[in-house]
Amino acid sequence: MSGVLRRPRIAIIGAGMSGICFGALLLRAGIDTFTIYEKSDRTGGTWRDNTYPGIACDVPSRFYQYSFARNPGWTRVMSPGAEIDAYFEKVARDTGVHDRIRFRTEVTRIDRTDHAWTVTTADGSTAEHDFVVSATGILHHPRYPDIDGLDTFAGAAFHSARWDHDAALDGRRVALIGTGSTGAQIIGDLAGRAGELVVFQRTPHWVMQIGNPEFSAFNAWLHRRFPRYDALTYHGWRLFIESFSPALLRPGLARRFARWQIKRQLRQVEDPVLREKLTPDFEPMCRRLVISSNFYDAIQRDDVTLVTTGIERIEPTGVRTTDGVLHPCDVLVLATGFDAHAYLRPIAMTGPDGRTLAEAWVDGPRAYRTVTVPGFPNFFLFMGPNSPVGNYSLVAIAEAQAGFMLGWIERWRRGEIETTAPSEAATAAYYEAVDAALPDTVWATGCTSWYVGQGGRVEVYPWTPRHFRATLATVEEDDHLTTGA
Ligand code: N01
């Protein structure tokens, strides 16, 4: 082998948080032979798509950012969506990743030929790549509710991730379906702005109402002036969030304490009838805990009504519930969540033996250590199955996954391998361990949510964030089938 490194042709699909992360890390490693395919005309992914009123991150910004490109100037503990969107765009530009993005270019097919991946885009053009990296996001495909008459509504009706900014809200009667993380943030913002807000709740969520203070100019100066202090706060927030792992992962004192803390939040609801309506019947944190700075204040306002009767149908002038009551409204907002189990689908992907990814995943999506799929060489997934680590920062998750991918790409560059894919046996063993760990976790205590996938399988990481990092920091040679260069 000569000392000259090979130049891998890498396709990254998606210019959101994960795609920008990987592009930046590739450039740091001296690899500039990659293309990021982005179907939209802008970076940002979920932060580009979600522009609903009240949008903010539910993970503290000092930790919801790249460790290698920290922003000292965050304006709040949990910053607004537009600020986060601007941050990712800035990182893309500052690092040079932006120059490698092909905007308005939708990938429709990925096929393995003898020696490479052929990526086909919507305009019919093709390109060959040695590696394909899916960075298509986990909460990307809006889930529309299956309610009769939805398309008969006469006013503006839209999903929270497709907000219609032309629809007037102030002083209008707004109906909102869904009370998850998104719904709670919208309620907090619209209460008092809308003339009347009617909230349709099918299942109550556990909510943690916590303050979201603004950072002072002095705070920003401190972070800018003392990068080590800035780094320290990044890790301080990381450790703080990681301290909740015991409560999430196993029964015991920590979980009982967290349960008590979360349940007592409901005490701020004064009306016992309303409190009863807002009380879930499942274990706190089984679904993703809703973090809000004002949900309980907003839901108790006189101009906000909580409806818990089921929805019969949508009519041109409002929402009819199963008790026959018509709730008139001018605007209908669907905060009804996402299909979190699509991964890179509907992109059609075919491996070297002609098997499609859809066929490989017929019993549910599976990925070795959340990143690689047996039978699909040189293919990596960001936010693959079992990636979410509770309410942890997805940015930190992406960085750990990027490190694993880079490890293999570096080996390819040195000419040590041509292809790599996990073996079926190693993937099966990995899932045996996942399945053995899941029953102790809070997510397996009996609730439905976007964490639960096909066949009731919980698609959350059942170990600690530290375990996640350690698992992805090592490459188990024996678990992989490689071909030589
Ligand atoms: O979606 P959800 P989300 N009739 O699936 C209801 C992230 N996020 O967009 O519970 C009536 O949690 C559904 O009811 P039910 C975060 O990870 C992050 O709110 O199924 N209701 C539920 O109430 C979060 O977990 C930030 O009975 C219907 C709601 O719609 C994830 O996104 C901010 C219905 C959907 O809740 C998803 O949150 C916001 C129907 N037919 C979100 N169908 C950050 O800060 C659905 N519902 C990073």
Side-chain angles (χ1 to χ4, degrees), residues 130-255:
D130 302 302
F131 291 89
V132 167
V133 178
S134 170
T136 52
I138 193 163
L139 298 169
H140 177 59
H141 300 284
R143 197 179 53 198
Y144 288 86
D146 185 15
I147 302 176
D148 279 351
L150 194 54
D151 53 356
T152 67
F153 185 66
F158 45 86
H159 190 275
S160 55
R162 300 286 180 271
W163 198 269
D164 177 356
H165 289 278
D166 291 333
L169 301 168
D170 294 1
R172 311 287 298 284
R173 294 169 305 180
V174 179
L176 171 82
I177 301 177
T179 52
S181 300
T182 302
Q185 290 184 340
I186 296 172
I187 293 163
D189 189 274
L190 283 193
R193 263 182 70 192
E196 192 189 337
L197 179 60
V198 185
V199 176
F200 294 87
Q201 172 193 276
R202 189 166 64 181
T203 315
H205 289 240
W206 289 107
V207 180
M208 196 81 185
Q209 181 167 306
I210 51 176
N212 186 15
E214 228 173 316
F215 287 128
S216 64
F218 176 66
N219 182 288
W221 176 83
L222 264 181
H223 282 266
R224 210 164 271 125
R225 176 72 183 74
F226 301 105
R228 280 198 183 164
Y229 171 68
D230 190 49
L232 212 66
T233 51
Y234 172 92
H235 291 290
W237 277 109
R238 177 176 67 72
L239 291 171
F240 174 68
I241 294 169
E242 289 178 6
S243 72
F244 293 97
S245 291
L248 296 164
L249 298 179
R250 52 187 169 273
L253 193 62
R255 188 176 297 170

